[in-house]
Amino acid sequence: MSERDDHELRISKIQDGTVIDHIAGGHAPDVLAILGIDGSTDEVVSVGMNVPSDRLGHKDVVKIEGRELSQDEVDVISLIAPAASINIIREYGVAEKHRVERPAVVEGVLSCPNHDCITTDGEPVTSRFEVLDDGVRCAYCETILRENLTEHISV
Amino acid sequence: MDDRDHVITAKNLSRADIETVLDRAAAIERDPPDRDRHAGRLLGLCFFEPSTRTRMSFEAAIKRLGGDALDMGPVDSSSATKGESLADTVRVIEGYADALVLRHPSEGAATMASEFVDVPLLNAGDGAGQHPTQTLLDLYTMRENAGGLADLTVGIMGDLKYGRTVHSLAYALTKFDASQHFVSPESLRLPRSVRYDLHEAGAQVREHDDLDEVLSELDVLYVTRIQRERFPDENEYRAVAGEYRIDAETLERARDECIVMHPLPRVDEIAPAVDATEHAHYFEQAHNGVPVRMALLDLLLDDTDGEEAADATDDSANGGSR
Ligand SMILES: [Zn+2]
């Protein structure tokens, strides 16, 4: 089954907004967490989980109506869904198509898990993490974080 | 030095930076500078955690260069306990001083503070993070006593997990292609972030739980203290600490030239009988704190001395700073 068929079969087209495709199977809730979508906002969101995919075996798809993701948001999604592709939809058509790219640094998105880190002390400072091949690293205390990144999202 | 002349982590010191500081320290020891070399310059000492020796050695260094130190006093009487942020404190003290020295219990404190000030900031220890000026005096001691810094075989023993002097030293040694042997109990091995950097730097590193596996190869044995408070149980602490203690008999198995170092203070990880042996260099190491910190301050203050000193002393014969 082609990817195109998946889309059309399982999730209806949106007029304006963002489609995040090729999220590794089961990780759609993490993407929603990064975007601050927890059911309390009034955005219309469709989620497909464990959709068969040629490229990933199983993938998740998230469609958000009426919202175009910022580069910062895309950067953070890349940390947990490195294979994702992001389509910005305008008037039912794909206006822009991006593969996510891992940024060198993410700022203000994750909070440091080290309780002795200066960024957890109430100082006027934005968290900053250097992105490594297999994790992220606090630019202040140098703690390396590899697993469960979504637990440390502070946006 | 790069990084806007802040000295935050040994990782940012290049081999050339380190050699510049050590060469200047050696020159200062041979030929102490004029007592008014940095007359009128003020060093702000911001110690949010007590450390009498580090504070005093910085104070001695600036005074021997003709400058003076401003001490914010014990932390319980400072504005920090009134809830002022570190960022505000350093911005205020920056207005009084030509350079700042910061000791703080939080990791990353010096990195953060350096983002708020324009005068040079020296990290004198941030939590379990880094202590780069200690590393410079450690390297100076090795260079003077172990026949240079190239291709040394160095054993570092004790608390490798929380020991900031160990983390800084390990980074710096990679710049000199040292072969590094880390000796510790399983629970106090190097943290993940230090391993990552050593790996990235292509360091030659081996880990041991028994000093005897490597003692006979070492040019330098660097011992650190295992802190009781790291262990929930007193018996567990005693068992571990006892195994990482050296005495004169231990050193009979070492090379004659092997030098023993320790950042001090020690508790009982080095028996007093070692003091009298040729191996002991830890008191000399502590004394080296002054010339090395003088060298560092001299280099950092030099950058800004030029015009300002000339302006300030235009009635004197030595208009320049040299
Ligand atoms: Zn941190």
Side-chain angles (χ1 to χ4, degrees):
Chain A
M1 188 184 285
S2 78
E3 290 173 19
R4 194 182 147 77
D5 291 338
D6 296 349
H7 284 209
E8 285 168 6
L9 273 173
R10 291 194 168 79
I11 305 178
S12 61
K13 284 193 166 190
I14 59 174
Q15 183 176 353
D16 297 294
T18 304
V19 177
I20 307 161
D21 199 356
H22 300 111
I23 302 164
H27 286 276
D30 296 337
V31 170
L32 295 175
I34 287 171
L35 299 175
I37 296 170
D38 59 3
S40 68
T41 54
D42 51 13
E43 288 149 316
V44 177
V45 179
S46 321
V47 179
M49 288 182 71
N50 294 318
V51 179
S53 154
D54 293 342
R55 214 165 90 203
L56 300 174
H58 288 90
K59 65 176 183 179
D60 288 4
V61 183
V62 171
K63 296 192 177 193
I64 307 158
E65 294 185 34
R67 173 168 168 190
E68 294 187 7
L69 298 189
S70 69
Q71 189 60 48
D72 281 352
E73 290 170 320
V74 172
D75 284 350
V76 186
I77 288 172
S78 74
L79 300 179
I80 57 145
S85 53
I86 310 234
N87 298 318
I88 305 291
I89 310 294
R90 292 178 197 135
E91 283 302 319
Y92 297 105
V94 175
E96 291 170 34
K97 197 172 178 79
H98 309 280
R99 235 347 130 62
V100 298
E101 266 176 57
R102 290 166 72 80
V105 170
V106 288
E107 279 192 72
V109 174
L110 298 165
S111 55
C112 186
N114 174 9
H115 298 297
D116 294 324
C117 177
I118 192 72
T119 62
T120 66
D121 263 3
E123 294 290 334
V125 63
T126 307
S127 76
R128 190 164 76 239
F129 284 79
E130 177 195 348
V131 178
L132 311 175
D133 289 342
D134 58 347
V136 296
R137 177 182 216 179
C138 177
Y140 293 92
C141 73
E142 309 206 333
T143 294
I144 292 177
L145 191 54
R146 291 203 172 107
E147 303 87 20
N148 308 325
L149 292 189
T150 48
E151 285 170 21
H152 303 287
I153 288 166
S154 63
V155 286
Chain B
M1 257 162 280
D2 61 349
D3 205 28
R4 290 170 63 232
D5 283 341
H6 299 308
V7 180
I8 307 296
T9 155
K11 224 181 341 181
N12 295 352
L13 296 173
S14 67
R15 182 171 175 151
D17 287 336
I18 293 167
E19 283 172 341
T20 301
V21 176
L22 303 194
D23 289 347
R24 181 74 63 105
I28 282 172
E29 278 209 303
R30 273 196 312 273
D31 181 17
D34 293 343
R35 282 291 183 146
D36 62 353
R37 179 163 170 78
H38 291 289
R41 309 318 294 278
L42 292 173
L43 183 64
L45 303 177
C46 309
F47 279 64
F48 290 83
E49 191 180 71
S51 172
T52 310
R53 295 145 196 261
T54 303
R55 191 169 47 79
M56 284 180 73
S57 80
F58 270 110
E59 202 171 330
I62 189 69
K63 287 182 173 169
R64 286 185 181 279
L65 291 168
D68 209 342
L70 297 170
D71 191 331
M72 71 175 203
V75 76
D76 54 333
S77 64
S78 79
S79 50
T81 49
K82 296 177 197 136
E84 185 179 58
S85 67
L86 172 61
D88 283 1
T89 306
V90 293
R91 276 182 286 189
V92 170
I93 298 178
E94 173 187 28
Y96 312 150
D98 300 292
L100 300 181
V101 178
L102 177 68
R103 161 74 70 108
H104 197 280
S106 295
E107 286 149 45
T111 301
M112 189 211 74
S114 72
E115 293 172 359
F116 289 90
V117 299
D118 288 323
V119 299
L121 185 138
L122 291 93
N123 183 6
D126 59 333
Q130 290 274 317
H131 195 359
T133 66
Q134 173 75 41
T135 293
L136 288 167
L137 73 90
D138 292 344
L139 294 174
Y140 184 73
T141 308
M142 286 182 203
R143 193 170 84 164
E144 299 287 299
N145 295 287
L149 285 174
D151 302 318
L152 289 177
T153 299
V154 180
I156 305 180
M157 181 171 87
D159 179 355
L160 311 180
K161 185 171 185 182
Y162 301 100
R164 57 189 163 206
T165 61
V166 171
H167 307 161
S168 286
L169 181 60
Y171 291 143
L173 286 171
T174 62
K175 315 246 159 92
F176 294 90
D177 303 319
S179 154
Q180 302 188 59
H181 296 267
F182 294 96
V183 185
S184 74
E186 177 81 38
S187 60
L188 294 175
R189 288 196 171 174
L190 290 172
R192 190 189 245 185
S193 65
V194 176
R195 287 164 187 279
Y196 178 86
D197 285 313
L198 294 179
H199 179 76
E200 288 285 290
Q204 307 172 58
V205 169
R206 276 169 53 203
E207 294 184 288
H208 311 267
D209 50 21
D210 185 352
L211 178 63
D212 274 335
E213 288 169 20
V214 68
L215 179 60
S216 62
E217 298 170 37
L218 301 179
D219 299 308
V220 178
L221 172 60
Y222 192 100
V223 183
T224 67
R225 183 161 53 101
I226 291 178
Q227 289 174 287
R228 185 169 309 186
E229 56 268 31
R230 303 297 181 197
F231 292 84
D233 170 5
E234 175 80 22
N235 289 331
E236 203 185 321
Y237 160 74
R238 285 189 184 287
V240 164
E243 280 197 53
Y244 297 91
R245 179 178 189 278
I246 62 163
D247 54 25
E249 193 187 316
T250 314
L251 292 171
E252 285 168 12
R253 301 190 289 277
R255 297 176 57 225
D256 290 345
E257 303 79 22
C258 177
I259 68 167
V260 175
M261 295 174 61
H262 189 300
L264 302 183
R266 68 173 152 175
V267 181
D268 57 5
E269 55 277 12
I270 300 180
V274 175
D275 301 359
T277 69
E278 293 282 303
H279 299 291
H281 284 273
Y282 27 89
F283 291 111
E284 178 191 340
Q285 180 187 357
H287 297 161
N288 286 338
V290 176
V292 169
R293 290 180 172 118
M294 283 173 77
L296 197 54
L297 292 171
D298 192 35
L299 290 162
L300 292 171
L301 293 173
D302 248 5
D303 285 350
T304 47
D305 253 2
E307 327 97 80
E308 284 176 33
D311 290 346
T313 59
D314 55 5
D315 56 330
S316 74
N318 63 336
S321 61
R322 247 147 277 238

